[in-house]
Structures are given as structure tokens and as C-alpha cells.
């Protein structure tokens, strides 16, 4: 049976650079199918479950980066207005990037990253008793 594609359906010629038309993406880390629309941000760039991302942008939403490697979430940054941003580290080229969190990001995963330095201090905690 022939497959009929309606004429009004146009496939992007450069899928990796035309993600604005993509309604969802598959997480490079956990495999979750993630809707492209996210509450609280115009450019969802990471998985709301595991918080991993892909190195696709030079500036948020431009899809101009040629790297394409996976990016691991390594820290939370608090901006001057109190907004949280996730700091991602590219596993391919080593780039660092900070991006707004989304309203549906996993709060436990965010908190695990935020408190990681407190859970592994660079000195014994009993030093506080000497202060
Ligand atoms: Zn994921
Ligand atoms: Zn990269």
C-alpha cells in the first residue's frame, strides 16, 4: 500500500537546525520523549526528568552550535533576580552554559544538584565544632 503524504506537510530540510518546528525531542540521556513547549521558558533545552541537554545552541534558541554532544547538568546558578539557572557541561567540547529552569523540571533532581557541594564538603564537618 503506498504511503500518501499530504502536500501541506513540509519536512524540515535541516532538522538539527530547525528545531523550532519540532514538537518534541528524545532525551539523549534517559530516552524520555519531551514536549518542546515548556512552562516558564521559550526555549526548552533540557529534559525535565534527568535535566541533561544537548549542545545545539550558541545563544539560547539559535540552534547554531555544530557540536551536538550531550550536556550534563553540573550546578545550579541563582541569577540576580532570584531565578534559578542550570549550568550544563558539554561532554564533547567542554563548553559551559547556563539556562533557565522550566516550570516542570524535576524539583528533586534540581535540589540534588544544588546541594551536592554541601553533601561533599572539601573538609571534615567536625571542623565547625572548633570554630
Ligand atoms: Zn532525560
Ligand atoms: Zn559541545
Amino acid at each position: 500500500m503506498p504511503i500518501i503524504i499530504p502536500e501541506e506537510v513540509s519536512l524540515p530540510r535541516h532538522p538539527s537546525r530547525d528545531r523550532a518546528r519540532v514538537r518534541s525531542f528524545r532525551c539523549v540521556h534517559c530516552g524520555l520523549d519531551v514536549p518542546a513547549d515548556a512552562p516558564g521558558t521559550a526555549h526548552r533545552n533540557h529534559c525535565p526528568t534527568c535535566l541533561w541537554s544537548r549542545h545545539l545552541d550558541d545563544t539560547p534558541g539559535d540552534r547554531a552550535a555544530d557540536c551536538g554532544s550531550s550536556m550534563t547538568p553540573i550546578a545550579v546558578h541563582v541569577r540576580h533576580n532570584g531565578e534559578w539557572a542550570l549550568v550544563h557541561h558539554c561532554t564533547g567540547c567542554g563548553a559551559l552554559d547556563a539556562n533557565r529552569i522550566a516550570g516542570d523540571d524535576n524539583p528533586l533532581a534540581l535540589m540534588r544538584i544544588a546541594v551536592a557541594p554541601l553533601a561533599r564538603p572539601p573538609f571534615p564537618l567536625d571542623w565547625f565544632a572548633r570554630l
Side-chain angles (χ1 to χ4, degrees), residues 83-100:
E83 179 181 87
W84 275 27
L86 257 179
V87 179
H88 284 105
H89 180 238
C90 182
T91 59
C93 70
L96 292 171
D97 201 5
N99 294 283
R100 297 179 75 176

Side-chain angles (χ1 to χ4, degrees), residues 27 29-32 47 49-52:
C27 174
H29 186 66
C30 73
L32 181 73
C47 172
T49 297
C50 71
L51 307 178
W52 279 63

Side-chain angles (χ1 to χ4, degrees), residues 12 14 16 20 31 36 42 45 47 61 66 79 82 84 88 90 97 108-109 122 124-125 128:
H14 304 288
S16 66
N45 74 333
C47 172
D66 291 327
R79 294 182 169 159
W84 275 27
H88 284 105
C90 182
D97 201 5
L108 291 176
L125 287 178
F128 285 118

Side-chain angles (χ1 to χ4, degrees), residues 74-119:
I74 59 168
V76 169
H77 166 65
V78 182
R79 294 182 169 159
H80 67 278
N81 61 0
E83 179 181 87
W84 275 27
L86 257 179
V87 179
H88 284 105
H89 180 238
C90 182
T91 59
C93 70
L96 292 171
D97 201 5
N99 294 283
R100 297 179 75 176
I101 63 169
D104 59 353
D105 284 349
N106 181 335
L108 291 176
L110 287 169
M111 288 303 290
R112 192 187 63 176
I113 293 170
V115 304
L118 298 176

